[in-house]
């Protein structure tokens, strides 16, 4: 998702009670590159505490306060509520987050603007608030017998949802192991190792491990990289030098 | 992922400084159905504060404290470190979380046990701690010009990683080289190899290749299977026996 798409996602916190949580939400947004935070609250929002959130000051500074959900989502083409399923009889379609992410991504591929609503830490979104949503998403969680209903920490829930939206980027970030050794190098390493096993008496002691094909497979299973191959050969050559009497 | 697989995932917090963060990690584990928390800390862990975390008391009560990373991951067949890329020159392959989740899922399809390491909030994992890892994962984050490197809140980072593991049911196809050697076996092989390199004079001749972390990474890159590990140890022991004068 490019930054232009990220800029058409709006996080709406409805009746968030704990300013630390607002700060945590802002930090997660900052981490994943989202900028638009809207807050629906009947009383004054204690932004001072939220502003102290590490790295999130720009998000908090740009937050806009609205009196109601309708106003907060007025310019959005898709309004998605979040819910811990099981709390109430649901009037909406509910999608697991992975599926919801696909649908949100599709909306953003067009010209749409998407609102993601999170309710208060204690009670979630009310039925009235939910009524503004096109559909709901839920984060798949473990059922526990001892708990009335599962619910996540607000900052963690937001982090997980935003991660899902940016998730589909490239896979390998940096190399490390690098290019594999050529078959020729593997063969040279195999030959050296075989010499070493002979010189030290290993082949006599464990003949069952030592036919040529077996040793070659053992070395192939190492998956030696081009840069590690000379290191291993150096180690084995040093053994040979030592064993043969320096 | 079934609960049997979840039970073979171990979260390892290394030098976590803030007990609230330990509590937040425990809560995320509880939410997603993970149970095994291990803590590596040199000073006493202030569990009392962590215990107050909502819904997470069982996880915190079951937490086990270890003196070092080696001990904490000894029974694990795959050790994955977490990193904010860009901090340092990386010696390991690094996968974005989505790809990492696939690889972890594949390991759990077998009989493997997987450790997920998180470093301290301030500094992440040290090079020595990273040397115990087979590879690293990183959560894709937005680059910000104003910040030296991106880093997430610990509780949020853990929530995002665990979500990825439970996200895509049934998406991983089995297959592979057979069960991996445990980190404990890899550590024993590393120690034997180090002895061999010393006894043969290799360490004196190529000191640049021979610090402990380097040798450990060399061995980890072999990707030794549980059945190959004793073969390699036997080969090295035979060298030691020979070099030490029979």
């Amino acid at each position: 998702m490019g930054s232009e798409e990220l800029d058409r996602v709006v996080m709406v916190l409805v009746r968030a009670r704990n300013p630390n949580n607002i700060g945590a939400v802002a930090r997660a947004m900052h981490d994943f590159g989202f900028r638009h935070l809207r807050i629906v609250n009947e009383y004054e929002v204690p932004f001072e505490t939220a502003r102290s959130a590490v790295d999130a000051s720009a998000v908090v500074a740009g937050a806009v306060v609205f009196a109601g959900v309708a106003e907060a989502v007025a310019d959005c083409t898709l309004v998605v509520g979040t819910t811990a399923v099981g709390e109430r009889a649901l009037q909406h379609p509910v999608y697991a987050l992975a599926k919801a992410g696909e649908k949100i991504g599709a909306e953003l591929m067009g010209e749409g603007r998407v609102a993601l609503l999170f309710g208060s830490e204690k009670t979630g979104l009310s039925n009235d608030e939910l009524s503004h949503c096109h559909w709901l998403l839920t984060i798949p969680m473990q059922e526990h017998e001892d708990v009335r209903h599962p619910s996540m920490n607000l900052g963690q829930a937001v982090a997980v949802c935003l991660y899902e939206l940016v998730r589909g980027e490239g896979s390998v970030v940096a190399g490390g192991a690098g290019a594999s050794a050529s078959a020729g190098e593997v063969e040279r390493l195999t030959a050296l190792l075989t010499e070493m096993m002979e010189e030290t008496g290993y082949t006599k002691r464990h003949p069952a491990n030592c036919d040529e094909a077996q040793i070659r497979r053992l070395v192939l299973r190492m998956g030696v990289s081009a840069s590690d191959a000379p290191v291993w050969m150096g180690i084995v050559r040093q053994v040979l030098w030592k064993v043969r009497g320096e």
Side-chain angles (χ1 to χ4, degrees), chain A residues 55-69:
Chain A
D55 289 346
S57 46
V59 173
V60 175
V64 184
V65 179
F66 290 84
V69 171

Side-chain angles (χ1 to χ4, degrees), chain A residues 33-242:
Chain A
F34 296 85
R35 299 195 309 147
H36 301 295
L37 176 59
R38 296 178 183 178
I39 293 183
V40 175
N41 254 336
E42 280 159 10
Y43 52 88
E44 216 177 332
V45 181
F47 275 125
E48 279 53 47
T49 315
R51 278 207 182 89
S52 68
V54 184
D55 289 346
S57 46
V59 173
V60 175
V64 184
V65 179
F66 290 84
V69 171
E71 294 87 338
V73 302
D75 60 346
C76 297
T77 56
L78 173 62
V79 181
V80 178
T82 55
T83 183
V85 179
E87 295 173 69
R88 67 196 93 199
L90 292 166
Q91 314 275 352
H92 288 78
V94 182
Y95 299 98
L97 176 55
K99 182 70 189 169
E102 265 177 48
K103 292 170 72 75
I104 291 169
E107 181 74 14
L108 293 170
M109 292 283 283
E111 301 286 292
R113 183 181 302 277
V114 177
L116 253 182
L117 264 65
F118 288 81
S120 90
E121 296 89 337
K122 269 238 152 64
T123 59
L125 293 164
S126 71
N127 278 327
D128 179 64
E129 290 153 3
L130 286 170
S131 74
H132 293 274
C133 300
H134 291 83
W135 43 265
L136 310 182
L137 76 74
T138 190
I139 299 172
M141 281 187 282
Q142 187 75 4
E143 304 272 345
H144 291 279
E145 283 165 18
D146 52 322
V147 184
R148 46 309 119 200
H149 67 263
S151 102
M152 280 187 78
N153 166 278
L154 183 59
Q156 293 180 338
V158 168
V160 165
C161 289
L162 296 183
Y163 163 70
E164 177 65 45
L165 296 186
V166 302
R167 174 181 181 275
E169 316 284 277
S171 54
V172 178
V173 177
S180 304
S182 69
E185 285 168 306
V186 172
E187 197 61 21
R188 280 203 296 284
L189 178 55
T190 304
L192 279 169
L193 200 71
T194 307
E195 271 185 73
M196 182 184 94
M197 290 158 78
E198 274 160 9
E199 294 276 1
T200 60
Y202 183 89
T203 42
K204 225 179 272 168
R205 208 157 160 178
H206 301 280
N209 290 350
C210 294
D211 78 52
E212 195 190 320
Q214 242 169 333
I215 299 173
R216 184 177 295 112
R217 283 197 302 268
L218 186 70
V219 174
L220 276 175
R221 285 198 294 272
M222 289 172 69
V224 187
S225 69
S227 54
D228 279 352
V231 176
W232 283 113
M233 287 194 259
I235 292 169
V236 175
R237 277 201 196 94
Q238 185 73 23
V239 172
L240 287 170
W241 173 83
K242 178 81 182 175

